[in-house]
Amino acid sequence: MHLSAPPVRPAAGLRGTWLLRMLLRQLSRGSLRVVLPSGAWIEHRAGADGPQAVLLLHRSRALRRLLTGGDLGFAQAYLDGDWSSPDPVALIGLAAANSAALEARFSGLAPLRLWRRLRHRRRDNTPRGSRRNIAFHYDLGNAFYRLWLDESMTYSAARALPPGGSLEAAQRDKRARVIELLHLEPGASVLEIGCGWGALACDMAGQGARVTGITLSREQLAWAREAAGPAPIELRLQDYRAVVGRFERIVSIEMIEAVGAAYWPAYFAMLGRSLAPGGRIVLQAITIREDRFESYRRRPDFIQTCIFPGGMLPTATIIAAQAQAAGLRVVECETFGAGYADTLAAWRERFEASLDAVRALGLPERFIRMWRYYLCYCEAGFRDGVIDVGLYVMEAGR
C-alpha cells in the first residue's frame, strides 16, 4: 500500500496511523516499507535516491516512543522488541540520510531531552568518572569480547577489509601502518594511551621499542599482561592525566572518544608535554561530520546513553585546533570510514554466529539486542559518512 492509497483500516492492527504517515512524510531520500502487526504494509518512496529499508512493527508503542523520545526512544523500543528489521543498517542509514527533517519533527519531549543532557553531564570524565565509564564498557569481560573480535583482540577499525580477506590480516595491516607512521626505531621509548588488550604494544615491542601502555580497564590490563609475557612492556592501570616523563613516540588508538569535550584541552596538553623533542604522535580518532556536531553535542545519542557513557566525538577541525593550542600540529591524516563500516560488519557477523556462547555467559536477550543495534548503528553512521575515522600524525609545532 502506497501513501496515495486509502488509509490503513483499524483492522490492520495499528493505532495512531497518523504518526506513521507523519513519519513517512519526512523522508525525502530513499524508501521505507512499514509492515504492521497485522501483516498489512504501507510504503513511501522518496524522490531522491537513498537507502531502501523495511521496518517491522511489532507493537504500536514503537511510534509513540519515537514521538516522545526521538531517535533514542526509537532505539530503546528496538531493545524492548517493539520493532525489528531484516536490515537494521539500511533502516538506520535511511534515518541518517533524512536526519534534518526527522530531528525537526521527532526530537522528543523537551523534559526528556533536558533529563538526558543532565544525565550525560553526571557521567563526566573526571579521574573517578573515567574509571567508572571505562569499566561500564570494557570490563564486560574478556570472555565476551573474545567471542567476536579477531585473535589479537583489536577493538578498533581496520583500514580496509578486502572481499575474502580475513579480519586478522586486516588488523595486522592497520597496526603495521600505525607503526610505519610513528617512524618507530629500535630502542625508542613509546607511550600507548589506552592500550586495550595489548596487540599494538606487543607489535611495537617486537620491533625493539621500549613500550609503556596505560589503561583504565582492569580486564584489559590482565589480558594485555598475559599477552605481553616476557616482552619489555610496562603496562599500568593509570589515567592519562597522571602520566609523567617524556617519550619519543606516543600512540593512542580510539581513546580520544572517551575523553569528553571538557577534557580535550587537558588531553592534548598532556600529549604536548609528554612528547620528547623531535618525537611523533599517532592518534586513531573517530570524528563526527562538522555540520552534525552541534546537534550531536546538544542531544546525547544512543551510543553515549547505552554503550559509552561520557563519550564525545570530536570533529577533524577540533582535533587540529586542540593540537595547535597544545603546541602540536597535524602533519598527516589518513581517513578510512569505509574500512570501519566493513570492520563493524565483520564483528556483527561473528557476534551473531556466537549467540549461543553469548547466552551461555548469562547475558540477557535485551543486551543482545542492544549490542546488535550498537554494531548496526555505528556501521550505518560510517557508511552514510556521518562519522569517520582516521590516523592523525602530529609533531611539535613550528
Side-chain angles (χ1 to χ4, degrees):
M1 182 187 300
H2 295 273
L3 282 181
S4 56
V8 177
R9 300 189 305 276
L14 183 73
R15 296 188 298 275
T17 307
W18 65 274
L19 270 176
L20 176 56
R21 292 186 177 277
M22 182 170 67
L23 167 65
L24 295 177
R25 280 195 295 270
Q26 312 311 310
L27 305 180
S28 59
R29 291 179 56 193
S31 68
L32 176 62
R33 174 177 290 198
V34 182
V35 181
L36 308 178
S38 66
W41 53 272
I42 186 169
E43 186 173 59
H44 172 76
R45 295 183 182 277
D49 290 339
Q52 300 178 18
V54 176
L55 169 64
L56 306 177
L57 280 177
H58 306 305
R59 300 186 185 95
S60 60
R61 71 176 184 179
L63 294 177
R64 296 198 301 274
R65 295 177 81 170
L66 171 62
L67 181 65
T68 59
D71 60 342
L72 181 55
F74 197 59
Q76 291 170 331
Y78 177 83
L79 306 192
D80 292 332
D82 293 347
W83 66 269
S84 63
S85 175
D87 187 354
V89 174
L91 183 62
I92 298 167
L94 179 69
N98 294 276
S99 60
L102 289 173
E103 286 179 5
R105 180 67 69 173
F106 296 100
S107 60
L109 298 176
L112 275 177
R113 296 200 306 269
L114 176 60
W115 179 81
R116 286 168 183 158
R117 283 199 300 272
L118 293 175
R119 185 187 183 203
H120 184 62
R121 289 175 185 172
R122 287 199 300 270
R123 292 169 156 183
D124 198 21
N125 286 299
T126 62
R128 181 178 179 181
S130 291
R131 289 193 297 273
R132 181 178 61 247
N133 291 337
I134 291 298
F136 180 90
H137 186 86
Y138 293 99
D139 287 350
L140 287 170
N142 295 331
F144 169 66
Y145 285 102
R146 71 184 300 182
L147 291 174
W148 51 275
L149 294 178
D150 72 299
E151 291 177 356
S152 70
M153 297 284 277
T154 299
Y155 190 25
S156 59
R159 291 195 303 155
L161 196 55
S166 72
L167 182 59
E168 282 75 12
Q171 295 291 22
R172 283 196 301 271
D173 172 77
K174 193 281 294 291
R175 296 195 304 272
R177 181 55 179 159
V178 170
I179 291 172
E180 183 180 20
L181 289 172
L182 279 171
H183 293 176
L184 194 63
E185 299 172 350
S189 58
V190 183
L191 171 67
E192 184 178 6
I193 306 165
C195 60
W197 284 276
L200 179 59
C202 290
D203 287 356
M204 293 188 294
Q207 296 203 15
R210 296 177 290 113
V211 182
T212 299
I214 64 172
T215 179
L216 290 179
S217 167
R218 295 182 183 277
E219 290 279 324
Q220 287 185 331
L221 181 64
W223 181 285
R225 282 177 170 168
E226 184 175 348
I233 304 173
E234 181 182 359
L235 297 168
R236 307 172 184 162
L237 194 70
Q238 186 179 47
D239 190 286
Y240 68 88
R241 285 161 285 212
V243 170
V244 296
R246 286 191 162 189
F247 301 83
E248 294 163 297
R249 302 289 186 269
I250 300 175
V251 62
S252 187
I253 306 298
E254 292 180 24
M255 182 271 179
I256 189 175
E257 303 82 0
V259 170
Y263 298 95
W264 287 335
Y267 175 76
F268 279 91
M270 178 277 302
L271 294 177
R273 70 171 179 267
S274 300
L275 186 65
R280 267 200 156 206
I281 298 170
V282 173
L283 302 186
Q284 182 166 316
I286 302 172
T287 57
I288 191 163
R289 205 168 65 201
E290 303 283 346
D291 65 322
R292 294 298 301 275
F293 179 75
E294 284 304 317
S295 173
Y296 164 73
R297 183 181 61 82
R298 292 193 306 269
R299 299 187 182 100
D301 68 356
F302 167 76
I303 299 296
Q304 294 164 308
T305 303
C306 299
I307 304 296
F308 289 106
M312 175 68 74
L313 302 182
T315 66
T317 299
I318 287 172
I319 290 176
Q322 292 286 342
Q324 183 177 30
L328 302 168
R329 63 189 180 98
V330 177
V331 297
E332 191 172 346
C333 176
E334 299 178 358
T335 59
F336 43 98
Y340 215 149
D342 292 341
T343 302
L344 285 153
W347 287 342
R348 180 161 53 96
E349 182 180 354
R350 291 173 175 229
F351 176 75
E352 298 289 356
S354 302
L355 288 184
D356 288 344
V358 172
R359 293 184 179 106
L361 294 175
L363 296 168
E365 292 301 314
R366 194 175 193 274
F367 175 89
I368 290 172
R369 287 194 293 270
M370 181 180 73
W371 215 257
R372 181 183 296 125
Y373 193 85
Y374 154 56
L375 295 172
C376 291
Y377 184 91
C378 294
E379 181 183 343
F382 283 108
R383 296 211 184 278
D384 189 67
V386 174
I387 50 178
D388 202 353
V389 65
L391 292 168
Y392 293 80
V393 182
M394 300 177 189
E395 296 177 350
R398 292 191 181 93

